[in-house]
Amino acid sequence: MDVQSRPVLELAGLHKSFGGVDVLKGVDLAVAPGELVFLIGPSGSGKSTLLRCCNRLEEPDDGAVIVDGENILSPGCDLNRVRQKIGMVFQAFNLYPHMTALGNVALALRKVQGMAKDAAEAKARAALARVGLADKAGSYPAQLSGGQQQRVAIARALALEPKIVLFDEPTSALDPELVGSVLAVMRELKIGGMTMVVVSHELAFARDAADRVVFMDGGRIVEQGTPASVFGAPREARTRDFVARLAERG
Amino acid sequence: MQDGWARFAFAYLNPEVAAEWGPKILDGAFVTIQLGLATIAAGLALGMALAMLRASAPRWVQMAIVVFVDIFRAWPPLVVIIVLYYAFPYVDLPMGAFTATWLALSFVLASFAEEIWWAGLQAVPKGQWEAARSTGLSHFQALVWVAIPQAVRMTIPPLLNRTIAIVKGTALGSVVALPEILGQATSAMSLAGNPTPLTLAALGYLAIFLPVVILGRWIERRFAWKR
Ligand SMILES: Nc1ncnc2c1ncn2[C@@H]1O[C@H](COP(=O)(O)OP(=O)(O)OP(=O)(O)O)[C@@H](O)[C@H]1O
Ligand SMILES: [Mg+2]
């Protein structure tokens, strides 16, 4: 296969159930290099579970998760190595409260990649600069606003030079006036060519930054297409209902 | 009234008796300090090792740890000391009073410390582990660098209180003739026929443990941090 067109992330027949309840019922999805896939769907439709299966924070029951050409579900896969290729940004930021912003970003560089302290910190500073927080390296999470914390979390993911970054509702826990700063960083990433999958309700962001919108319901992908087609002319009734409700909310 | 005071002072604040037996109490103080430090070092190290093992090991090992710590939290420390001191020579494991007291208090402290730290580990939000693992840290690395530092900080007040309470149990060593402060004081008291050595013992304990209590207060404030 031509490297240029090889998907960065490919899900095939992904199944996941929790205690007998099927949450993912056979999901197929391929994300091309540099693509931003915007994932929407009602609460409980399996969006978070889908993202978490991509780096095996949840163990899929069946199917394949292929990251950068490697099936990460195969028995010989070195999970801690492939996870560095898959950045993850959480709704609740999940910064380590006992470390400074710099420490948060540098931890995996030092402990996983084995970089020396100076080199790791230089790289961490560069990542913080990318998200506009060069001056906050010495601050602890409790001293930062929610928007700043989430940008540190993004820097923590970026520092490992991932092939793809997964965002699970990155702005849902933020005060409205702080949402913009995080979305701006994500736009920059997109422009820089980063491959991204974003679960979010920020429709305006999806309209101008997403290449593709994927609508999930009941553990399946129901409909997908360009933002204009999914938001403007949804084919499925379920998509129409959901998009209408989302648009009402803001 | 005047008479009563004089009799009290002669009994408990007797300068001649104090001068004669003070050095003996001081020797006892060094034993108490050594035993206390050895207990803190071994008890906390073992407690941390048990908590880490419990957080990483298969189920049966976890169960074994729970059984160990529950037993040592249930037994009065004095019972453990006496069992180690009097019973173990029968299985060809004779131990001195110092070793018996040290081991007993260390096991008890380790058990309480393990439980306190384990509770702290349970209180570390799941998202912390997920963030760490998603950046490629192994379970053990996430435990060491992310979970344990938070668990330790969260549990400083109960751990300090428990540590001080157990280390004060060094006085129990007097029951197996350990020449620590209280043991020295009681023998001095009977030899001198005067209880002033007890006063010295009380002052000795204050001199040792009051700074520890104050240090604990300082550590508590120093390491408290807002989430
Ligand atoms: N660890 C778990 N154990 C049991 N059930 C779970 C677990 N994680 C998710 N679920 C269930 O799986 C279903 C899908 O959850 P998921 O979090 O993926 O949905 P979502 O689309 O992200 O929803 P939301 O928009 O509310 O975040 C829900 O019914 C949820 O209760
Ligand atoms: Mg979710």
Side-chain angles (χ1 to χ4, degrees):
Chain A
M1 192 194 256
D2 172 10
V3 175
Q4 209 58 38
S5 65
R6 183 175 82 185
V8 176
L9 171 71
E10 196 174 355
L11 308 177
L14 198 65
H15 282 265
K16 176 67 187 174
S17 64
F18 288 109
V21 181
D22 291 336
V23 172
L24 297 179
K25 303 172 186 165
V27 175
D28 302 297
L29 182 71
V31 184
E35 193 181 17
L36 193 162
V37 171
F38 196 84
L39 188 57
I40 57 173
S43 182
S45 58
K47 307 179 297 292
S48 296
T49 306
L50 177 73
L51 291 189
R52 295 159 58 80
C53 281
C54 294
N55 65 356
R56 283 174 64 184
L57 281 183
E58 299 293 353
E59 207 59 57
D61 296 325
D62 196 18
V65 177
I66 297 158
V67 176
D68 198 25
E70 183 178 359
N71 187 352
I72 71 164
L73 301 184
S74 69
C77 169
D78 178 353
L79 194 54
N80 295 330
R81 183 179 51 77
V82 289
R83 276 177 172 163
Q84 295 168 60
K85 297 187 191 180
I86 312 162
M88 191 155 210
V89 176
F90 303 85
Q91 179 174 354
F93 328 138
N94 298 352
L95 292 184
Y96 315 132
H98 58 298
M99 292 181 190
T100 61
L102 190 69
N104 268 271
V105 180
L107 181 68
L109 294 173
R110 296 201 58 199
K111 303 304 170 188
V112 182
Q113 301 195 335
M115 290 175 71
K117 190 167 191 277
D118 289 351
E121 289 189 347
K123 198 166 183 190
R125 278 182 205 284
L128 285 172
R130 259 180 99 178
V131 299
L133 292 175
D135 55 332
K136 296 292 183 190
S139 302
Y140 284 87
Q143 299 167 326
L144 299 172
S145 74
Q148 291 169 332
Q149 289 187 53
Q150 191 60 298
R151 281 144 68 199
V152 173
I154 293 172
R156 177 170 67 183
L158 292 181
L160 296 168
E161 298 178 22
K163 302 279 184 194
I164 184 169
V165 183
L166 313 173
F167 295 82
D168 194 355
E169 306 204 24
T171 59
S172 298
L174 297 177
D175 293 338
E177 70 272 19
L178 301 176
V179 169
S181 67
V182 171
L183 293 180
V185 166
M186 292 168 65
R187 273 197 189 88
E188 284 295 318
L189 280 185
K190 164 67 178 154
I191 291 165
M194 181 58 79
T195 311
M196 301 152 79
V197 179
V198 181
V199 173
S200 164
H201 303 299
E202 298 292 336
L203 292 196
F205 174 79
R207 280 205 184 84
D208 61 47
D211 297 298
R212 181 156 45 122
V213 175
V214 171
F215 173 67
M216 274 184 83
D217 193 15
R220 287 196 178 86
I221 291 177
V222 173
E223 179 165 358
Q224 55 181 309
T226 61
S229 69
V230 174
F231 293 143
R235 289 188 311 273
E236 302 282 332
R238 279 186 286 176
T239 320
R240 245 189 322 271
D241 289 350
F242 182 77
V243 168
R245 261 185 290 132
L246 215 53
E248 256 168 50
R249 249 184 30 190
Chain B
M1 184 65 203
Q2 202 70 327
D3 251 20
W5 170 248
R7 264 184 281 127
F8 174 83
F10 178 81
Y12 285 93
L13 304 169
N14 190 314
E16 282 97 70
V17 177
E20 187 181 352
W21 298 99
K24 203 175 166 195
I25 307 289
L26 199 61
D27 290 346
F30 283 115
V31 175
T32 295
I33 289 169
Q34 280 173 22
L35 181 58
L37 291 176
T39 298
I40 291 174
L44 295 185
L46 180 61
M48 178 54 76
L50 290 174
M52 288 173 70
L53 199 58
R54 185 168 170 192
S56 321
R59 176 132 258 138
W60 68 269
V61 177
Q62 296 186 16
M63 293 301 293
I65 291 169
V66 171
V67 169
F68 176 89
V69 304
D70 280 0
I71 288 175
F72 278 98
R73 291 189 309 146
W75 270 333
L78 183 56
V79 172
V80 185
I81 293 171
I82 290 174
V83 166
L84 287 178
Y85 186 70
Y86 291 106
F88 272 61
Y90 287 102
V91 291
D92 284 328
L93 254 175
M95 50 182 82
F98 188 95
T99 310
T101 311
W102 170 64
L103 273 184
L105 294 179
S106 296
F107 286 157
V108 173
L109 177 56
S111 299
F112 279 100
E114 189 280 336
E115 274 304 301
I116 289 169
W117 281 328
W118 177 254
L121 283 175
Q122 300 310 104
V124 172
K126 217 165 126 253
Q128 293 288 308
W129 284 92
E130 293 180 344
R133 296 307 304 274
S134 76
T135 56
L137 268 75
S138 67
H139 173 86
F140 187 73
Q141 288 174 321
L143 180 68
V144 169
W145 301 108
V146 175
I148 284 178
Q150 296 182 52
V152 166
R153 269 174 228 215
M154 268 189 267
T155 53
I156 281 174
L159 187 77
L160 277 173
N161 287 329
R162 186 57 79 172
T163 303
I164 291 168
I166 291 170
V167 170
K168 280 192 299 191
T170 48
L172 298 170
S174 60
V175 171
V176 291
L178 179 72
E180 50 69 63
I181 295 181
L182 185 62
Q184 295 288 69
T186 46
S187 76
M189 184 171 71
S190 57
L191 290 171
N194 179 290
T196 295
L198 280 185
T199 308
L200 295 180
L203 292 174
Y205 280 120
L206 265 190
I208 293 173
F209 287 108
L210 197 56
V212 175
V213 170
I214 291 167
L215 178 72
R217 206 186 283 283
W218 179 81
I219 291 175
E220 224 166 279
R221 236 178 304 133
R222 170 74 180 69
F223 286 97
W225 96 106
K226 294 175 224 77
R227 280 195 153 269

